[in-house]
Each structure stands twice: as structure tokens, then as C-alpha cells.
Amino acid sequence: MTIPQISVFLENKAGQLADITKILSENQVNMRAINIAETADYGVLRLIVDDAAKASSILLEQGFILTMTPVVGAAVPDTPGGLSNVLGVISSAEIDVEYMYSVFGQKDGQACMIFRVADAESLTAVFEKNGISTIKGEDLGLH
């Protein structure tokens, strides 16, 4: 099971992030996770929101450049070594993690992590085989 992620390409200039969060807020779009990566010339804002279709439509109307990407969410024990164990399972399956980040809050006392890999379905199968709970969109309140 995958979760839709919006990646917005931003110029490296003051106010870009504030503009996007204001636009989403004004349109009643709630963020569930956010991650920012940067290069010298631009940044990539990765978002998981409660309504990805609505958010992407609004952002496109405002002139932002974006893509939608499927990502995999997993419940990670919120204990020392919890993430290490999950990453060990991924490594043993020889799956390369392109990037990862955390979700706001917890589910049933576990941290929620988002993983971007080349083959999301393979990662989901590896998690299921190894008893790692995947996070579904409805677990995060996504529409």
C-alpha cells in the first residue's frame, strides 16, 4: 500500500515555504508530514497532506512545479534500535532507500516513517513478510 507524496520544486529564496503553507492553510489542507531538501539553486519540498489531489491542484494553479510520488509508510517501534531494525530488514532485502522522513505524531506508540524506494510494492511485501506494519492513508487521515 502506498501513500501519495507531493514534491514541490522551490527557488532558494525567502518566503517560499511560508507561501505554500499559507496557501494550504487557506484552503483547509492539513499537512501530515513535511521534508525539505536543498541544492545550491533550488529546494524540494516533500509533503504528505490529507487531500493530495486538492493540494496539488491548488499549488499548480498558483504556479508551483510539482510531482506526485508513491511512498511507503511504516510503523517503527519508538525505542532505541527500532529504526535500525527496520532498516536492517530493508538492507537484507537489498532495497535501496532513496530517502526517508518521519510523519507528525505517532500511531499506537510507534513512530511513523516514510520511505521512498524504486519499487514501493516490493518494500511493502518485505515489510509484510517481516511483520512490520505499513501505514495506510486512512491511518494518517488522508482522503
Side-chain angles (χ1 to χ4, degrees):
M1 178 60 105
T2 62
I3 295 170
Q5 171 192 266
I6 301 170
S7 296
V8 185
F9 299 91
L10 304 173
E11 294 177 61
N12 276 350
K13 68 178 188 179
Q16 289 274 287
L17 185 56
D19 291 344
I20 287 176
T21 58
K22 182 177 181 183
I23 290 166
L24 294 177
S25 173
E26 290 172 344
N27 288 278
Q28 301 301 305
V29 174
N30 196 2
M31 293 185 293
R32 302 294 189 214
I34 187 169
N35 175 274
I36 302 170
E38 68 170 303
T39 67
D41 300 323
Y42 65 92
V44 179
L45 173 66
R46 295 182 177 109
L47 297 167
I48 295 179
V49 298
D50 62 348
D51 191 336
K54 178 180 178 181
S56 61
S57 177
I58 291 164
L59 292 172
L60 285 169
E61 287 173 8
Q62 295 293 318
F64 290 97
I65 299 168
L66 60 88
T67 61
M68 296 283 281
T69 308
V71 293
V72 178
V76 177
D78 190 12
T79 59
L83 179 58
S84 179
N85 291 337
V86 171
L87 291 172
V89 167
I90 296 170
S91 177
S92 293
E94 298 185 359
I95 295 175
D96 181 37
V97 175
E98 295 175 19
Y99 56 83
M100 64 179 215
Y101 55 94
S102 63
V103 174
F104 300 151
Q106 294 184 338
K107 181 180 181 330
D108 300 327
Q110 295 192 320
C112 300
M113 296 297 296
I114 299 297
F115 295 91
R116 171 67 176 142
V117 298
D119 185 348
E121 298 305 322
S122 291
L123 180 59
T124 299
V126 166
F127 283 161
E128 289 174 5
K129 178 181 174 186
N130 287 277
I132 297 170
S133 298
T134 56
I135 304 297
K136 298 168 184 59
E138 55 267 20
D139 295 330
L140 299 175
L142 308 186
H143 299 122

